[in-house]
Amino acid sequence: MAAEVLDGKRIAKEIQSEIKQRVARFVEGGQAAPTLAAVLVGEDPASQVYVRNKERACQRAGINSQLHRLPEQSTTKEVLDLVHGLNEDPGVNGILVQLPLPSGVDSQVVLDAVNPLKDVDAFHPQNVGLISQGRPQFLPCTPHGIVQMLKRYQINTRGKHVVIVGRSDIVGKPMALMLANRDIGLGPDMANATVTICHSQTADLAAITRQADILIAAIGQPEFITAAMVKPGAVVVDVGINRTDDGLVGDVHYQDVAAEASYLTPVPGGVGPLTVTMLLENTLAAAEIQQAATT
Ligand code: GUN
């Protein structure tokens, strides 16, 4: 079997054009265009690329973007001062603190300081709690992008065994919470999964991943998932973006797994474009929430 490619680029384009129309209607209704403020601390090359991509995507959708840069040597207090200013600024609807922050900055303290109503990454404990309870205010961008892609390929998660490899706060944990719930706002077919989270300490990992109807790889290890770890006909979603001497590769060994899976996301052009897209969705949602709160 040769897997069908899940074309994240195409789905992202489709969703971005829907968001662009919703932004235009929001502005026609007399509101200011939604505004995203990105905070970039230091010179991490990958982060600079991500932030530039996010700015470009905003521009295409009619969303304003601001970039706030701080030097590598910044203190936690200096980053906090910037975040507090953005929290107070009524012209800023969404705040994104690009991770990773330099080692001298306490990431948890900074992320906890973002106003939950402007928390377009959904990293604030209040938003994590709401996701856990199945009543999200914002859905985190990468997990939300994955569900949107599955939905648009009519791959339901209801009753399926989803195995997630990786327990990060950005992908693994929120993905598990979203899919295990009854409905996180995308319909019952796109939730209600039986979810297993695996990680670096999981014993006999392959025995578990081979049970997956849908396998989500988010571990940050190049080509970690091999064909032997995949059940024939499984749907495989690769969240990894690893820079190697051979270029960009995912967490999945693409060639091998493509022979086993029914659907597979490529890297690049799979999950990545959807992450950026759902940030636009959340920035528009933030502007709508804040408008509703003031009228
Ligand atoms: N770094 C890697 N992924 C992300 C993300 O989704 N949001 C932010 N803010 N930083 C990241």
Side-chain angles (χ1 to χ4, degrees):
M1 186 190 300
E4 183 175 338
V5 176
L6 293 168
D7 187 348
K9 247 186 178 164
R10 179 176 70 74
I11 300 291
K13 239 186 189 165
E14 188 179 298
I15 300 175
Q16 286 187 22
S17 106
E18 293 165 15
I19 294 170
K20 185 177 177 172
Q21 289 172 25
R22 284 167 51 208
V23 169
R25 277 201 297 278
F26 186 71
V27 172
E28 279 161 18
Q31 304 301 320
T35 296
L36 174 70
V39 174
L40 179 57
V41 186
E43 305 292 333
D44 181 62
S47 290
Q48 297 193 50
V49 172
Y50 292 143
V51 166
R52 205 174 316 125
N53 286 344
K54 289 167 185 174
E55 283 188 294
R56 286 204 193 114
C58 281
Q59 210 169 31
R60 286 198 299 272
I63 292 173
N64 293 327
S65 68
Q66 304 175 354
L67 176 57
H68 299 268
R69 297 195 69 143
L70 288 174
E72 180 86 27
Q73 300 74 22
S74 301
T75 62
T76 301
K77 163 109 184 20
E78 284 163 342
V79 183
L80 278 178
D81 287 347
L82 173 57
V83 168
H84 288 145
L86 298 171
N87 282 344
E88 296 301 317
D89 184 345
V92 168
N93 302 112
I95 302 170
L96 172 138
V97 180
Q98 184 63 39
L99 301 177
L101 289 167
S103 54
V105 178
D106 187 331
S107 303
Q108 201 67 67
V109 168
V110 170
L111 296 179
D112 287 359
V114 173
N115 179 345
L117 292 174
K118 298 188 176 187
D119 175 32
V120 287
D121 267 323
F123 290 166
H124 191 283
Q126 182 175 314
N127 284 319
V128 176
L130 290 170
I131 295 161
S132 159
Q133 293 181 343
R135 49 185 190 126
Q137 176 167 252
F138 298 109
L139 292 172
C141 299
T142 300
H144 189 187
I146 291 170
V147 179
Q148 283 291 343
M149 175 142 65
L150 296 176
K151 185 180 170 81
R152 286 165 194 253
Y153 274 90
Q154 293 169 342
I155 300 168
N156 294 345
T157 60
R158 189 205 299 244
K160 303 272 175 64
H161 187 191
V162 179
V163 175
I164 301 167
V165 188
R167 56 177 154 186
S168 71
D169 291 335
I170 297 182
V171 182
K173 271 189 262 179
M175 183 84 267
L177 288 172
M178 285 167 61
L179 293 176
N181 266 308
R182 285 193 168 80
D183 187 346
I184 34 87
L186 302 170
D189 281 344
M190 301 317 300
N192 288 302
T194 302
V195 178
T196 302
I197 306 182
C198 302
H199 47 73
S200 55
Q201 306 299 306
T202 298
D204 204 357
L205 177 65
I208 299 172
T209 58
R210 273 201 303 269
Q211 294 172 27
D213 303 310
I214 300 174
L215 178 61
I216 301 178
I219 25 174
Q221 301 237 23
E223 300 180 327
F224 182 85
I225 303 290
T226 57
M229 300 169 80
V230 175
K231 177 167 79 174
V235 175
V236 180
V237 176
D238 189 350
V239 183
I241 303 177
N242 306 290
R243 275 154 234 278
T244 71
D245 292 342
D246 300 329
L248 222 56
V249 299
D251 290 351
V252 175
H253 196 295
Y254 189 89
Q255 296 297 351
D256 287 4
V257 171
E260 289 296 330
S262 59
Y263 291 91
L264 175 60
T265 62
V267 176
V271 173
L274 284 156
T275 296
V276 179
T277 303
M278 302 331 289
L279 178 66
L280 306 178
E281 167 80 31
N282 283 354
T283 304
L284 172 58
E288 288 169 346
I289 291 168
Q290 288 153 38
Q291 185 221 343
T294 56
T295 51

